[in-house]
Amino acid sequence: MSQFMTLLDQIYPALDNGQYERALQLCQHPEVSRFSLGKALMSYTYSCLRNPAKALEIARAVASTQPNEDSVVSTLGCTFKAVRADKDFADLYENAMKKKNLDESYVKDLFNCYCRQNDPKKMQFVAQKLHKASPDRHNFLFWSVCCMLLQPDLPPTMMLLAEKMAHKIIYDLAPLLQPSAEELSLYTYILTKQGKLTQAYDSLVQLSNRPAGSPLVDEAHFTANPNFVKMLNLQVSIHKMDLLIRMGHLGDVIQEGKNVLITFPDQWNVHEVITDCTLLLSVAATAVTDALLTQEKLTFPMQELSTLLKEVLPCVDSILCTDAKRISLLREHAEAHQAYLKTLQGQHPKLRGPYLAELYLLCGWMSIIDEGNKKSSESGSVVQKDAMVALVSELKQLICAYATRFHTKQCCFSDLKVYIHKLSSFAHLVPGIVETLQDWAREQRSLANQRLFAALQAEVSVKQQSGVKQDSSSDAAAAAAAAAAAAAAAAPTLALVADEDEEDLDEEKQEKVSSESATTSQATPAAGTGKKKRNKKKKKATSTAATSANTLTNSAKAAAAVGEYTEILLTLCGFCKFDQIVCYCDTLLHHVSTTNTSYICADTEKEMMTLRTSLYGATREIFGKGVSGEERNIQPGDELLLQNSAKLRRRLIADRKKSSDSSNSNSNSNNISNSAVEQYVTALHWASVVEQGIQASPYSFALKIDELEPFRALAMGEAASALYIEMNPRHIQHDSMGYLILPTLLESAFFSEASKEMRSVLGFHTGARRDSLDMMGKAFQYGNYMRALELSRFVAECQKSTQLLLCKAEIPLLEIATKHSTASSALRYLTDLMDNKLPESMELLDEDQLAGMIDHMDFDLVVRTDQVGEEQMKEMKLLMRSQMTHRLQLAQRRTRILLCALEKDSSEAMTHLVAVEALESNPPAPASCATHYWPWDQSIGSGVAEVRRALRCVTSDAIRFTVMSIGTNTTALTAPPSSSSSSSSNGSATSLASRPAGFTSVNEVTNGSIKAVTSLFALRAALSQSTLYLDKNASSEIIVSPDWLRSVTAFVRTVGMELPLLLQVAASMLSLSAFQKRSPAATVEEITERVGAMKIENADSGVGVLARHIEAVAESLLGIFEYLHPILVGVAGKLESVTPVEYSSALNALSNTTTTTTSSSENCTAQKGMNLDSAVGSGSASDYEEARLVLERANNDAKLKETTVTSTTVNNANKPSRSVTCPDQLHRLVAVQMASSHKETCTRLAALMQQRMDSLRASLNW
């Protein structure tokens, strides 16, 4: 025993120091391994060595003896937790608790284990045991109460018991002190769930007014006493307003909300709800009563109080009365509330909340009057119409005032977008109101343009002066700077807010920049070794200080530059915001004719795009390293290129529509229309424009999201995958953003990358469930009961994620396509899948489960000016959900067809095949969704229409024939054909499926094989007639049609993957000797004639007959593979050898342009002197281009001088690419990405086809 203790004293230090190999040797010592503790330590050591199987084997062997020693139990518990064997952990502690009373820490560990298992009933049992062991600890009683609420379908008697338990603690055991914030919320929540709203409100008021008690001292004090955390006043008010809304006491809601706004005047959810209550109370025909909605359906408390109001009072229209008296009362209340908001605006002029609340008030006011006009028989009354006209005009003025005041805020346009859309809905009352707003915004944009150009021209003058007279006195430089400042002062100014407000804004910006500069100066040593740290109190950088490059790092210089060019930065922000308003008004005015390119391609629009690009290039020479030189998602001027991106998106949608119309009207599919080429040219230009911004602003999230769209249009799977990886999505972003990339990967044959992304979604949900349940245990430990309830809801909702279920359905098909080319390998995988042994295992979902899916996709990643409004967004969400549901159902059914066929259960396979045919015949949307954005089209049914139709026929004919061949009894084929079998051979697909899935006569086999062969040859013809190269008339064809690539990928991903496996199974049921040597390549007529002439007397048996027909189908399928494979190999080789210059030149020749939509110098020169906004003064694209060239030369000279002085290299991490100023290089960069992506797609498709051909030939002994 003494030796055991000696060795034990060596094992623990070895484990603590990470010496696991030594610890394992010590545990394996005979004097240690014969004891239970030694074996337990050995199991834990194996878990540290990442050998979970061995660790679990030893731990279970020890646990089977039901030990009760604390050391053994705790060690085994550590092992089970490390290998995540929660059931074993629970069994271990349960057995130990039966033999002795464990310490509280062990019981808490068991409670946490039940949390990880999500078993509220067992959690409640352990909580009650803890309370009985420590009756003076009231928190364990609250644990028990919360565990009761976690249980689904809790009966009313249990809810009443929970109320009594909580009441006993709060009113009997601790009657003097205020409960903790979580205890008070939990008690109020219990009362609310039972519909006891008045009691809940009274208790909340009474308990929140109790003395708070002793404050918390430190973290240790909080850990020991989590109930010392009391509810904040804002939380109390939110709880009160929530209950008052549920009770229908809207007047009290308004009063409570105004009390909140005294302290928090920018609290937006309060502004929303008191505005809604004010308007609703004015026109309510009857008193609003409580309990209008079952309280169990709502969470408590809801932070979105306005949403709660709409859910609690769903029948608002039925209680509205819009007679003259009510309209007058509405006006009175609305004007009073507007006056109240004006007071808040005067008290807090820099806060956005009161100004937005006024806009929200006017929109709600007008909506009620407009609704009343529609319902009332006096809808044409002059009084109401005049009131509406006045309100519409006032709304327009408020929008202008808000944009004027807050145009320097990044969120300015997103704030106003909903109100501008609302303004457009009332345009029938005030004709031309949207045009008036657009003209105003255009004028402000013009003023900003002139002011911005004057500021840039001033900087250009300084640079030119310093370049000409580098050795002149400082007086000359000062005179040049003064002249430049005078030029800037003479430029027109924007209609800004009061001067003092603008000065305050500038001062805040300067202080922020100065602090950032000082912080960077302090934290970053100077370039080179041995340099002393800079002085922390260095003054703000000026144009003179900026030349001292040896004392500033890159980031500090960038911060100094922003401080120096604050005026340029703020004016640039204003230009972008007014430009966004102008473009959004364009969308509202022309959204009905979205597919009309005449407006989108107008000369003024082209010139404006050129101006934005030139302005972007000029300002990037100043803000080239961004604000503070740090990695930021948004850099100054990014909105300029985003606006161009929105215009090109609309143009691409229009081109797609024209291409679809042209293809439908053109019967000869061998000729590609000009409109079809135009859409790819537009997509290429679009990608070049966005790539310009990414090169200059490499951390811009919005630009990268926009570039994914043209990449999908051009079938650039490789480039899209690399860009998505560069975005570095993490955790929940895989679930919320996966819809942006998965269709592109699936359409471009990047199946491995698609499977990896889908597994990332699965990994997130697995980890989220595990981590959330772990956090639930910690929430109980710290008394955070409402968070425990929230985590439980989150876990339940995550398992219903649309993206998660879709990934689980599609991963098996991708795994089979890439890793299982033989029937035996595919069968092993699918068997494990159906036995729930794989993470992607999932049962077949029924209609109720599909309807209960929850969408977690984030559609608000970018605020776009080419989206009309919420109505369009809702329609697109519904469309996308239906498309994803359709894909999910197809994937699940196709997987089960394969499994059943591989298991030779043709009857069940036929049932799933009939379901697939029904799904394919009823798609959720037309094949050409011309009015929707590319990433939002989740159908992945793109490609040539004829190929899509042919694929559906192959599913109905070839796959059906193969499945029925698997279920055929070959001995029955030798029987004489009966009249019933002969007549049924021409029956419908449904009649075949209703009978046993197998052929019963030679005639049925013959008819089935002829249909299968015909459909396969029709598919081959559709693929051969599809346009392979877009530049067909060129001397060397190198530009592959994206639609052709998508068509071939769709074939390989579906029929090309499934049919070879099914043919292998059908062939495996016959002997290899039954198959003959493959015939030379034949036409469809020859094959059908051969199989049609096949008689039973011409074959040795039914096996021979079936073998000949299977050979015919296999020969037809191999004919498609053998036709496509050399084409794909040849295309890949051609794209491998082509140079970037050649490919770019071919693209230019195809589009018959030199990238006119980008910022080329030729385009700028051609537009020189043109004034877009008819404003007086300079500021055209050519002017900005000239300014950019001067600034670029000056920056290059400064960098060269800096390199000479400091003898160090400049850090190029944040340096803008030279290609930013050279559109030809940008165009060539995208061209290289396109050629590489298409080459990779062809290579992958050829490799997959080769695998299928080899396995199919082997199965037929060919």
Side-chain angles (χ1 to χ4, degrees):
M1 188 67 180
S2 60
Q3 186 178 5
F4 170 72
M5 297 302 297
T6 302
L7 293 173
L8 202 63
D9 291 339
Q10 300 177 37
I11 293 174
Y12 285 114
L15 290 173
D16 292 339
N17 295 327
Q19 301 173 350
Y20 302 127
E21 295 291 347
R22 172 170 170 73
L24 181 60
Q25 292 177 356
L26 294 172
C27 291
Q28 291 172 341
H29 194 280
E31 289 297 325
V32 177
S33 59
R34 65 190 182 95
F35 291 99
S36 297
L37 179 58
K39 295 177 182 177
L41 287 170
M42 187 187 303
S43 68
Y44 178 72
T45 305
Y46 272 116
S47 70
C48 295
L49 290 170
R50 300 184 183 278
N51 191 346
K54 188 69 174 178
L56 197 58
E57 177 186 355
I58 299 174
R60 283 175 174 170
V62 179
S64 64
T65 64
Q66 297 186 359
N68 58 2
E69 299 87 354
D70 289 350
S71 57
V72 177
V73 172
S74 62
T75 304
L76 290 177
C78 292
T79 302
F80 287 137
K81 282 200 296 186
V83 299
R84 301 190 181 280
D86 291 329
K87 187 178 185 305
D88 296 282
F89 184 98
D91 293 340
L92 172 70
Y93 275 67
E94 287 172 356
N95 293 328
M97 287 175 63
K98 294 176 182 177
K99 295 184 177 181
K100 60 177 292 187
N101 291 327
L102 296 178
D103 293 340
E104 181 181 304
S105 60
Y106 293 120
V107 182
K108 286 184 177 180
D109 286 341
L110 180 59
F111 181 86
N112 291 332
C113 177
Y114 289 146
C115 285
R116 291 193 293 273
Q117 292 180 325
N118 199 17
D119 193 339
K121 290 185 178 181
K122 291 184 177 180
M123 292 164 57
Q124 181 187 353
F125 169 76
V126 175
Q128 291 173 346
K129 189 175 184 65
L130 286 168
H131 176 65
K132 291 178 181 178
S134 305
D136 56 331
R137 305 263 307 267
H138 304 154
N139 60 318
F140 294 134
L141 198 56
F142 268 111
W143 285 26
S144 180
V145 172
C146 188
C147 291
M148 294 169 65
L149 298 177
L150 288 173
Q151 300 174 26
D153 302 326
L154 193 67
T157 54
M158 295 296 293
M159 185 67 72
L160 184 61
L161 177 60
E163 177 192 344
K164 291 181 178 180
M165 292 171 65
H167 185 277
K168 179 180 179 181
I169 303 172
I170 294 174
Y171 286 96
D172 296 342
L173 302 180
L176 300 179
L177 292 179
Q178 181 184 146
S180 70
E182 292 297 313
E183 293 169 353
L184 183 54
S185 290
L186 186 64
Y187 180 59
T188 313
Y189 174 75
I190 294 172
L191 294 174
T192 304
K193 290 281 284 186
Q194 299 179 86
K196 301 178 180 180
L197 302 177
T198 303
Q199 182 182 350
Y201 181 81
D202 294 341
S203 299
L204 178 64
V205 174
Q206 177 189 357
L207 295 174
S208 62
N209 289 329
R210 284 185 182 181
S214 304
L216 288 171
V217 178
D218 51 22
E219 184 176 355
H221 190 207
F222 162 71
T223 304
N225 303 277
N227 59 326
F228 277 29
V229 179
K230 308 303 178 183
M231 189 177 291
L232 299 175
N233 292 333
L234 179 59
Q235 290 178 296
V236 174
S237 297
I238 295 297
H239 280 67
K240 287 181 181 179
M241 296 174 70
D242 182 290
L243 291 169
L244 289 170
I245 291 172
R246 295 172 194 263
M247 292 187 291
H249 298 174
L250 304 188
D252 295 333
V253 174
I254 297 173
Q255 185 59 46
E256 186 66 34
K258 289 185 177 180
N259 293 337
V260 172
L261 293 178
I262 295 175
T263 309
F264 304 97
D266 210 30
Q267 193 72 24
W268 177 243
N269 60 340
V270 176
H271 274 297
E272 271 188 315
V273 74
I274 66 173
T275 301
D276 289 337
C277 290
T278 299
L279 298 174
L280 185 59
L281 275 179
S282 304
V283 294
T286 58
V288 182
T289 59
D290 59 348
L292 294 183
L293 182 66
T294 304
Q295 305 300 331
E296 289 80 358
K297 296 182 179 179
L298 299 179
T299 58
F300 176 84
M302 285 189 67
Q303 298 297 321
E304 297 294 333
L305 296 173
S306 183
T307 302
L308 174 65
L309 179 63
K310 294 179 177 63
E311 292 181 350
V312 171
L313 305 174
C315 302
V316 171
D317 293 342
S318 63
I319 63 174
L320 291 184
C321 180
T322 53
D323 55 18
K325 181 179 179 181
R326 290 289 179 177
I327 291 297
S328 177
L329 184 61
L330 171 65
R331 182 182 186 87
E332 179 182 344
H333 288 181
E335 289 178 347
H337 189 62
Q338 188 175 19
Y340 166 74
L341 293 175
K342 293 288 188 183
T343 303
L344 283 181
Q345 294 170 9
Q347 295 172 351
H348 309 282
K350 295 184 181 180
L351 298 181
R352 296 162 34 240
Y355 294 93
L356 284 174
E358 188 176 7
L359 288 166
Y360 186 79
L361 170 67
L362 257 66
C363 289
W365 186 358
M366 289 188 295
S367 296
I368 292 178
I369 297 179
D370 189 56
E371 187 67 24
N373 286 341
K374 293 177 182 178
K375 293 183 177 181
S376 174
S377 59
E378 300 178 356
S379 58
S381 67
V382 179
V383 177
Q384 293 190 24
K385 184 176 181 181
D386 292 344
M388 283 293 293
V389 170
L391 290 175
V392 171
S393 300
E394 185 177 0
L395 177 61
K396 179 256 179 183
Q397 295 299 328
L398 290 178
I399 291 173
C400 296
Y402 187 91
T404 300
R405 178 173 290 274
F406 296 109
H407 65 268
T408 57
K409 302 290 186 183
Q410 187 66 32
C411 56
C412 177
F413 172 71
S414 59
D415 289 342
L416 290 176
K417 183 178 179 182
V418 61
Y419 303 110
I420 298 175
H421 181 257
K422 195 70 175 178
L423 181 70
S424 68
S425 64
F426 297 114
H428 61 282
L429 297 174
V430 184
I433 189 68
V434 178
E435 290 86 346
T436 304
L437 175 63
Q438 185 182 34
D439 292 341
W440 173 86
R442 187 178 286 114
E443 180 182 357
Q444 297 300 312
R445 183 180 66 181
S446 178
L447 293 174
N449 180 36
Q450 296 179 53
R451 186 179 182 185
L452 186 59
F453 177 74
L456 286 173
Q457 193 64 33
E459 180 62 22
V460 167
S461 300
V462 174
K463 297 294 185 182
Q464 288 177 332
Q465 190 70 17
S466 60
V468 174
K469 299 181 179 180
Q470 294 182 357
D471 300 329
S472 62
S473 63
S474 59
D475 295 337
T493 58
L494 290 169
L496 296 173
V497 297
D499 293 340
E500 54 185 5
D501 294 337
E502 183 182 6
E503 291 174 1
D504 292 340
L505 184 64
D506 291 345
E507 289 175 1
E508 290 177 1
K509 188 72 177 179
Q510 292 281 9
E511 290 173 1
K512 178 181 178 181
V513 172
S514 180
S515 63
E516 289 177 348
S517 177
T519 303
T520 310
S521 304
Q522 178 182 355
T524 308
T529 57
K531 299 285 185 180
K532 294 183 179 180
K533 292 185 178 181
R534 293 182 297 277
N535 185 1
K536 298 179 183 179
K537 298 182 179 180
K538 185 179 291 295
K539 297 181 179 180
K540 289 185 295 184
T542 61
S543 58
T544 304
T547 59
S548 303
N550 59 331
T551 61
L552 290 176
T553 60
N554 290 333
S555 57
K557 286 188 296 179
V562 173
E564 180 182 0
Y565 304 121
T566 301
E567 179 66 20
I568 297 178
L569 177 62
L570 296 179
T571 309
L572 177 62
C573 290
F575 180 93
C576 293
K577 299 305 172 293
F578 294 126
D579 189 38
Q580 286 176 317
I581 294 175
V582 172
C583 293
Y584 185 54
C585 289
D586 286 342
T587 303
L588 294 174
L589 294 172
H590 300 276
H591 73 277
V592 177
S593 57
T594 306
T595 58
N596 181 11
T597 58
S598 60
Y599 175 77
I600 304 173
C601 301
D603 291 339
T604 54
E605 286 298 313
K606 292 180 179 179
E607 185 186 357
M608 191 65 221
M609 292 176 66
T610 305
L611 176 63
R612 293 190 193 101
T613 309
S614 301
L615 177 57
Y616 184 77
T619 55
R620 293 306 295 171
E621 292 298 328
I622 294 179
F623 305 113
K625 297 184 179 67
V627 178
S628 308
E630 60 188 14
E631 301 180 8
R632 294 170 58 95
N633 291 339
I634 300 174
Q635 297 289 9
D638 283 353
E639 294 101 327
L640 295 169
L641 293 189
L642 288 173
Q643 289 303 103
N644 284 351
S645 176
K647 295 293 183 182
L648 289 169
R649 180 188 295 108
R650 291 186 65 190
R651 187 182 300 179
L652 178 61
I653 293 172
D655 290 342
R656 290 176 61 200
K657 176 61 176 174
K658 289 197 300 182
S659 175
S660 176
D661 295 341
S662 175
S663 61
N664 292 334
S665 61
N666 187 6
S667 59
N668 185 8
S669 60
N670 197 31
N671 294 324
I672 187 167
S673 62
N674 291 332
S675 56
V677 176
E678 288 176 3
Q679 64 171 315
Y680 301 124
V681 172
T682 301
L684 179 65
H685 292 165
W686 184 8
S688 300
V689 168
V690 181
E691 185 66 30
Q692 176 184 17
I694 293 177
Q695 293 293 319
S697 184
Y699 310 109
S700 174
F701 206 70
L703 288 170
K704 292 176 181 177
I705 289 176
D706 264 18
E707 193 169 29
L708 288 174
E709 302 186 47
F711 280 174
R712 183 183 180 187
L714 296 169
M716 295 169 58
E718 183 183 50
S721 178
L723 184 64
Y724 189 74
I725 294 173
E726 187 179 342
M727 292 166 65
N728 194 22
R730 298 180 180 179
H731 305 297
I732 197 173
Q733 289 179 325
H734 289 290
D735 194 36
S736 62
M737 293 172 49
Y739 75 98
L740 291 168
I741 187 64
L742 285 175
T744 307
L745 298 178
L746 293 173
E747 290 173 345
S748 305
F750 278 71
F751 301 142
S752 299
E753 287 77 4
S755 179
K756 182 179 179 181
E757 175 62 22
M758 291 179 181
R759 291 195 179 279
S760 297
V761 176
L762 267 63
F764 157 70
H765 283 282
T766 302
R769 175 182 171 82
R770 180 181 64 244
D771 296 342
S772 298
L773 295 176
D774 279 339
M775 291 172 62
M776 185 191 296
K778 294 182 179 180
F780 277 98
Q781 179 182 349
Y782 291 104
N784 202 341
Y785 308 116
M786 300 304 293
R787 178 56 59 87
L789 296 175
E790 181 183 344
L791 289 170
S792 178
R793 287 192 296 269
F794 174 75
V795 169
E797 290 183 357
C798 272
Q799 304 310 308
K800 300 178 182 179
S801 167
T802 304
Q803 191 81 342
L804 170 66
L805 298 176
L806 178 60
C807 291
K808 283 188 173 184
E810 290 195 323
I811 284 177
L813 295 177
L814 296 177
E815 287 291 307
I816 292 174
T818 55
K819 299 179 181 178
H820 306 283
S821 59
T822 62
S824 57
S825 174
L827 178 59
R828 286 193 299 270
Y829 171 77
L830 291 176
T831 302
D832 291 341
L833 178 75
M834 295 305 167
D835 291 342
N836 292 324
K837 296 180 180 180
L838 301 175
E840 58 267 28
S841 299
M842 180 177 59
E843 63 179 0
L844 185 64
L845 301 181
D846 56 27
E847 293 297 331
D848 292 337
Q849 291 171 315
L850 291 172
M853 294 189 303
I854 300 175
D855 300 332
H856 293 157
M857 282 73 72
D858 190 352
F859 304 102
D860 299 321
L861 293 168
V862 181
V863 179
R864 290 171 170 164
T865 59
D866 55 339
Q867 294 172 352
V868 175
E870 293 298 325
E871 293 78 7
Q872 185 193 37
M873 180 76 75
K874 290 178 181 178
E875 292 177 3
M876 299 181 72
K877 287 180 181 179
L878 291 175
L879 174 62
M880 194 176 90
R881 179 184 175 89
S882 64
Q883 290 173 342
M884 297 180 76
T885 304
H886 187 259
R887 281 174 51 193
L888 191 155
Q889 292 176 293
L890 278 176
Q892 283 202 301
R893 294 289 184 177
R894 286 184 177 276
T895 302
R896 281 158 177 78
I897 290 174
L898 289 175
L899 176 64
C900 295
L902 292 172
E903 292 179 339
K904 300 180 177 60
D905 185 359
S906 58
S907 178
E908 187 67 19
M910 187 62 68
T911 302
H912 294 297
L913 179 59
V914 171
V916 167
E917 291 173 347
L919 287 169
E920 289 187 336
S921 63
N922 186 27
S928 178
C929 301
T931 59
H932 299 91
Y933 305 135
W934 274 94
W936 292 11
D937 180 2
Q938 298 291 308
S939 63
I940 62 172
S942 56
V944 180
E946 289 77 7
V947 176
R948 293 198 302 270
R949 288 191 288 268
L951 284 173
R952 287 196 295 269
C953 292
V954 170
T955 300
S956 298
D957 298 330
I959 292 182
R960 175 180 290 275
F961 166 80
T962 314
V963 171
M964 293 188 69
S965 298
I966 295 171
T968 298
N969 183 4
T970 55
T971 58
L973 297 180
T974 60
S978 62
S979 59
S980 60
S981 64
S982 177
S983 61
S984 64
S985 63
N986 295 324
S988 63
T990 305
S991 65
L992 289 175
S994 63
R995 299 182 302 135
F999 296 116
T1000 59
S1001 69
V1002 175
N1003 285 340
E1004 285 188 4
V1005 178
T1006 302
N1007 292 335
S1009 63
I1010 289 177
K1011 284 185 177 181
V1013 170
T1014 303
S1015 64
L1016 287 169
F1017 270 88
L1019 174 60
R1020 175 174 176 175
L1023 288 168
S1024 63
Q1025 292 174 6
S1026 302
T1027 302
L1028 172 58
Y1029 292 106
L1030 295 180
D1031 51 345
K1032 292 183 59 177
N1033 300 324
S1035 57
S1036 60
E1037 301 172 337
I1038 55 177
I1039 303 176
V1040 184
S1041 168
D1043 262 348
W1044 185 85
L1045 286 176
R1046 282 190 279 265
S1047 299
V1048 177
T1049 303
F1051 160 69
V1052 173
R1053 188 173 54 84
T1054 55
V1055 173
M1057 177 268 295
E1058 299 164 2
L1059 191 54
L1061 291 176
L1062 297 177
L1063 287 170
Q1064 289 180 49
V1065 178
S1068 67
M1069 300 185 67
L1070 310 175
S1071 62
L1072 285 178
S1073 60
F1075 294 98
Q1076 300 176 353
K1077 184 178 180 181
R1078 184 184 177 190
S1079 304
T1083 63
V1084 61
E1085 291 80 7
E1086 294 172 346
I1087 295 179
T1088 54
E1089 181 180 357
R1090 186 170 69 230
V1091 298
M1094 176 63 61
K1095 303 295 182 182
I1096 189 65
E1097 55 270 16
N1098 297 334
D1100 297 334
S1101 63
V1103 173
V1105 172
L1106 190 59
R1108 300 293 84 73
H1109 289 281
I1110 292 175
E1111 288 174 352
V1113 176
E1115 183 180 351
S1116 302
L1117 177 62
L1118 282 173
I1120 300 177
F1121 284 146
E1122 292 168 349
Y1123 164 72
L1124 290 175
H1125 187 269
I1127 294 178
L1128 291 169
V1129 173
V1131 171
K1134 184 181 293 187
L1135 293 176
E1136 177 72 25
S1137 61
V1138 70
T1139 64
V1141 176
E1142 291 173 346
Y1143 197 84
S1144 180
S1145 299
L1147 287 174
N1148 285 336
L1150 178 68
S1151 60
N1152 197 23
T1153 180
T1154 56
T1155 64
T1156 55
T1157 55
T1158 58
S1159 59
S1160 63
S1161 301
E1162 293 80 6
N1163 199 346
C1164 294
T1165 304
Q1167 300 291 344
K1168 187 174 182 180
M1170 297 181 68
N1171 198 340
L1172 180 68
D1173 292 321
S1174 300
V1176 179
S1178 301
S1180 65
S1182 59
D1183 294 329
Y1184 283 121
E1185 181 66 16
E1186 294 173 0
R1188 184 195 61 76
L1189 293 174
V1190 175
L1191 293 172
E1192 180 184 3
R1193 285 194 297 268
N1195 289 339
N1196 291 338
D1197 293 341
K1199 292 172 186 175
L1200 180 62
K1201 183 177 181 181
E1202 176 185 359
T1203 304
T1204 304
V1205 172
T1206 61
S1207 300
T1208 59
T1209 59
V1210 179
N1211 182 12
N1212 291 326
N1214 292 322
K1215 179 182 176 182
S1217 171
R1218 287 285 299 165
S1219 61
V1220 173
T1221 59
C1222 184
D1224 290 337
Q1225 292 185 21
L1226 279 171
H1227 190 272
R1228 194 172 303 155
L1229 175 62
V1230 177
V1232 169
Q1233 291 176 323
M1234 182 175 174
S1236 177
S1237 296
H1238 289 179
K1239 176 190 74 72
E1240 184 64 23
T1241 297
C1242 292
T1243 302
R1244 295 187 179 209
L1245 290 172
L1248 291 173
M1249 285 185 183
Q1250 188 64 54
Q1251 292 178 2
R1252 300 297 169 184
M1253 286 191 292
D1254 293 342
S1255 59
L1256 183 57
R1257 288 166 179 163
S1259 65
L1260 297 174
N1261 198 23
W1262 284 353

